[in-house]
């Protein structure tokens, strides 16, 4: 009887094999396949590593078998602040509705803008198998995205913020267009003496809403008057005090554009204390569509911040399955639409 010769088992595929096929170092392969953070790896190199691992059957990484967004997957959503304003909640709700349509679930983390917390939150989300990440700031602004976002194995979109190099798709409200729409609405009613109470001037939202205000005046041939611009800080008290200063003018305004609804509520109180009726004597328009708009009397006309639509947009971008961080993407701006209630009328 002849002895059967046992065949040698096939050699196990190693990271070295993957590195050789991908044309990179073994360390790079390890970083990619183990979701290492804090290391910047180009999307091109990352794609080559994952493709090489697939080709060779190297199955150590869950990235290789990661499902496509929309097949009951998971989306990560990190925001610097959640509890202080309704904007982040609205954005999450918009993303939630869109993600359910896509068959996905959302994991949410608040980081308070702490870089270490951001990185740890994303690490935890990657371990949970997210297939896309939404990175949001509560105040609209330009940001320098954390370095670890560049090397993530999943697509990333920016919400309510944007990167200087346009390396990620980003969406923000069109604040300048909103300021223009609010002011033009008052002009169409026949107002020429329109005061505006702005927010803190270092914030882009305040700057852009003021730009829109100036543009609407210029379009209507109304001279810009710096004496009709009052500085607030988004609080009811600042709206109250600015309105009192305007009412002390010899030629007082017939309309107020308050650049958020809280300042508009302070404006209401100052007008009432002065014995003026809204809108019979003075028109008032706000911004944000805060819940308090519906509780003021008369109900406040305002512009809505489109954070819910922005959240849905972010999910839609992620569902395209593209890897971001290399190309330049146009900044998407969403309209702040007017909600007309009972605080507007033609000047008496």
């Amino acid at each position: 009887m002849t002895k059967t010769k046992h065949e040698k088992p096939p050699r196990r595929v190693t990271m070295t094999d993957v590195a050789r096929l991908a044309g990179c170092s073994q360390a790079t392969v390890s970083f990619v396949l183990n979701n290492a953070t804090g290391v910047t790896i180009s999307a091109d190199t990352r794609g080559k590593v994952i493709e090489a691992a697939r080709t060779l059957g190297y199955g150590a990484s869950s990235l290789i078998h990661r499902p496509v967004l929309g097949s009951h997957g998971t989306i990560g959503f990190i925001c610097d602040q959640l509890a202080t304003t309704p904007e982040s909640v609205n954005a999450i709700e918009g993303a939630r509705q869109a993600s359910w349509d896509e068959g996905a679930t959302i994991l949410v983390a608040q980081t308070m803008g702490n870089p270490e917390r951001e990185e740890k939150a994303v690490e935890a989300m990657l371990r949970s198998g997210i297939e896309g990440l939404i990175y949001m700031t509560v105040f609209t602004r330009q940001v320098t995205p954390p370095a670890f976002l560049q090397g993530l194995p999943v697509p990333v979109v920016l919400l309510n913020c944007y990167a200087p190099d346009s390396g990620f798709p980003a969406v923000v409200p069109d604040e300048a267009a909103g300021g223009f729409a609010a002011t033009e609405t008052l002009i169409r009613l026949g107002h020429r003496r329109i005061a505006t109470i702005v927010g803190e001037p270092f914030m882009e939202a305040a700057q852009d809403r003021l730009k829109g205000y100036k543009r609407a005046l210029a379009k209507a041939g109304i001279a810009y008057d710096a004496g009709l611009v009052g500085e607030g800080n988004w609080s009811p008290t600042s709206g109250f005090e600015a309105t009192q200063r305007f009412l002390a003018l010899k030629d007082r305004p017939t309309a107020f554009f308050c650049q958020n609804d809280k300042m508009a509520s302070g404006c209401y109180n100052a007008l009432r204390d002065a014995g003026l009726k809204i809108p019979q004597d003075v028109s008032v328009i706000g911004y944000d569509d805060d819940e308090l708009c519906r509780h003021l009397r008369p109900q406040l006309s305002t512009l809505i911040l489109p954070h819910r639509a922005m959240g849905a947009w972010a999910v839609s971008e992620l569902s395209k399955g593209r890897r971001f961080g290399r190309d330049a993407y146009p900044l998407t701006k969403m309209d702040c639409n007017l909600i007309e209630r009972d605080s507007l009328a033609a000047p008496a």
Side-chain angles (χ1 to χ4, degrees):
M1 231 174 129
T2 55
K3 229 177 180 181
T4 359
K5 192 175 179 181
H6 293 289
E7 290 183 6
K8 282 186 180 179
R11 188 175 69 82
R12 185 173 63 89
V13 177
T14 66
M15 281 193 183
T16 306
D17 300 319
V18 177
R20 188 179 299 114
L21 183 59
C24 64
S25 69
Q26 182 181 330
T28 298
V29 171
S30 176
F31 289 144
V32 171
L33 298 185
N34 290 298
N35 293 333
T37 57
V39 180
T40 302
I41 298 172
S42 73
D44 183 57
T45 299
R46 187 174 291 279
K48 286 178 181 176
V49 169
I50 292 175
E51 185 56 39
R54 282 200 185 97
T55 301
L56 296 174
Y58 185 86
S61 171
S62 62
L63 297 181
I64 299 169
H65 307 291
R66 190 176 298 281
V68 177
L69 180 62
S71 58
H72 306 287
T74 306
I75 297 170
F77 192 119
I78 66 171
C79 183
D80 50 3
Q81 296 179 52
L82 295 175
T84 53
T85 67
E87 283 78 24
S88 52
V89 175
N90 288 335
I92 292 167
E93 177 59 12
R96 195 268 314 159
Q97 289 176 337
S99 68
W100 280 13
D101 292 341
E102 294 285 347
T105 301
I106 291 185
L107 296 179
V108 180
Q110 176 176 263
T111 63
M112 303 306 293
N114 183 302
E116 289 182 13
R117 292 288 177 190
E118 287 180 342
E119 191 163 355
K120 285 180 180 178
V122 173
E123 285 175 356
M125 288 175 172
L126 287 170
R127 287 195 296 271
S128 298
I130 62 167
E131 290 123 45
L133 178 71
I134 299 171
Y135 181 94
M136 177 180 177
T137 60
V138 74
F139 294 120
T140 308
R141 65 182 187 272
Q142 178 178 291
V143 297
T144 301
F148 69 84
L149 289 185
Q150 295 285 345
L152 291 186
V154 297
V156 178
V157 298
L158 307 183
L159 197 160
N160 209 42
C161 56
Y162 58 96
D165 62 357
S166 306
F168 298 97
V171 61
V172 297
D174 196 337
E175 303 282 19
F180 179 90
T183 311
E184 188 180 51
T185 297
L186 295 168
I187 292 170
R188 278 203 312 267
L189 288 169
H191 294 280
R192 308 285 292 180
R193 294 277 295 168
I194 301 169
T196 185
I197 305 172
V198 302
E200 292 165 295
F202 69 89
M203 291 189 180
E204 286 192 21
Q207 296 166 15
D208 287 345
R209 291 172 194 182
L210 183 59
K211 286 177 188 173
Y213 166 82
K214 291 178 178 178
R215 200 167 72 225
L217 294 178
K219 182 184 175 186
I222 301 172
Y224 170 71
D225 182 353
L228 290 177
V229 178
E231 187 175 315
N233 59 13
W234 310 114
S235 71
T237 300
S238 68
F240 181 87
E241 292 172 348
T243 303
Q244 283 187 319
R245 290 193 293 272
F246 287 130
L247 293 180
L249 296 173
K250 185 177 178 182
D251 187 9
R252 67 168 176 79
T254 63
F256 287 81
F257 165 33
C258 302
Q259 295 191 9
N260 82 336
D261 297 329
K262 288 184 172 63
M263 293 192 296
S265 71
C267 176
Y268 263 49
N269 290 335
L271 293 172
R272 185 177 59 243
D273 287 356
L276 297 171
K277 292 184 178 179
I278 304 168
Q280 294 90 334
D281 299 316
V282 183
S283 288
V284 182
I285 190 167
Y287 207 112
D288 290 355
D289 193 33
D290 193 293
E291 177 65 22
L292 67 84
C293 294
R294 288 167 282 282
H295 300 286
L296 293 172
R297 291 296 177 269
Q299 290 191 348
L300 177 65
S301 300
T302 188
L303 281 91
I304 189 167
L305 279 173
H307 284 76
R308 195 178 297 258
M310 287 159 57
W313 177 92
V315 171
S316 173
E317 279 297 300
L318 291 178
S319 70
K320 295 175 183 176
R322 297 178 294 179
R323 293 292 184 267
F324 304 131
R326 256 178 79 195
D327 302 320
Y329 297 89
L331 177 62
T332 297
K333 292 187 176 185
M334 288 203 169
D335 289 339
C336 302
N337 294 319
L338 172 68
I339 299 177
E340 194 163 344
R341 296 193 177 97
D342 304 322
S343 62
L344 303 178

